[in-house]
Amino acid sequence: MDAWNADDWEKELEAIWSPDGTVVAPDGWPEAGEFKGWRAMVEQWRRIKGSWAEERVDLVESEPLGDRVLAQVHWVMRGEASGAPLEVDVSIVCEFEGERLSRMEYFLDREAALTAAGAPKR
């Protein structure tokens, strides 16, 4: 989270990502869909961050689910043009290739994230 919040693409984030990694934006997001490969992921992240005068992501909790991790984050933003504040809780299903992230899929619904991660029904 520190690297994201610091916009540290090249040093910290690139080091933990597989070069052919994939980010999947949630349904209903302004730019939904898959972004595959380091360059496409960074371009998407820059577009997202460019909409906000300020933004940060705080880790609420993470839970290992077999070979995946479910992260719950709280995203706090302030609009670039409007100055309007916005806070969103987001669930992220993380997959790995060895020690490196290979896929992150974002969900606005925690139950949908749990289902996608293959978690047993609770």
Side-chain angles (χ1 to χ4, degrees), residues 13-72:
L13 288 175
E14 189 172 14
I16 65 170
W17 270 95
S18 169
D20 60 344
T22 302
V23 169
V24 182
D27 290 336
W29 209 249
E31 293 185 16
E34 287 194 11
F35 301 88
K36 185 165 180 60
W38 179 247
R39 179 169 284 144
M41 292 187 304
V42 169
E43 288 173 6
Q44 171 64 359
W45 293 331
R46 285 189 172 136
R47 276 191 298 272
I48 290 170
K49 285 179 157 267
S51 301
W52 308 108
E54 298 173 16
E55 65 84 40
R56 77 171 190 282
V57 174
D58 299 314
L59 180 64
V60 175
E61 68 177 331
S62 63
E63 176 182 356
L65 296 169
D67 60 348
R68 298 176 178 159
V69 172
L70 175 65
Q72 294 296 132

Side-chain angles (χ1 to χ4, degrees), residues 26 63 65 68-73 89-95 104-122:
E63 176 182 356
L65 296 169
R68 298 176 178 159
V69 172
L70 175 65
Q72 294 296 132
V73 301
D89 291 318
V90 180
S91 299
I92 309 168
V93 176
C94 305
E95 298 179 23
M104 288 177 71
E105 186 168 0
Y106 294 79
F107 295 86
L108 300 176
D109 177 319
R110 187 174 196 280
E111 291 305 314
L114 286 165
T115 299
K121 299 287 182 193
R122 297 179 183 195

Side-chain angles (χ1 to χ4, degrees), residues 1-9 12-13 45 49 53-59 73-77:
M1 294 298 127
D2 291 340
W4 170 268
N5 290 334
D7 298 336
D8 191 349
W9 314 112
E12 296 292 329
L13 288 175
W45 293 331
K49 285 179 157 267
E54 298 173 16
E55 65 84 40
R56 77 171 190 282
V57 174
D58 299 314
L59 180 64
V73 301
H74 187 70
W75 194 13
V76 180
M77 303 150 278

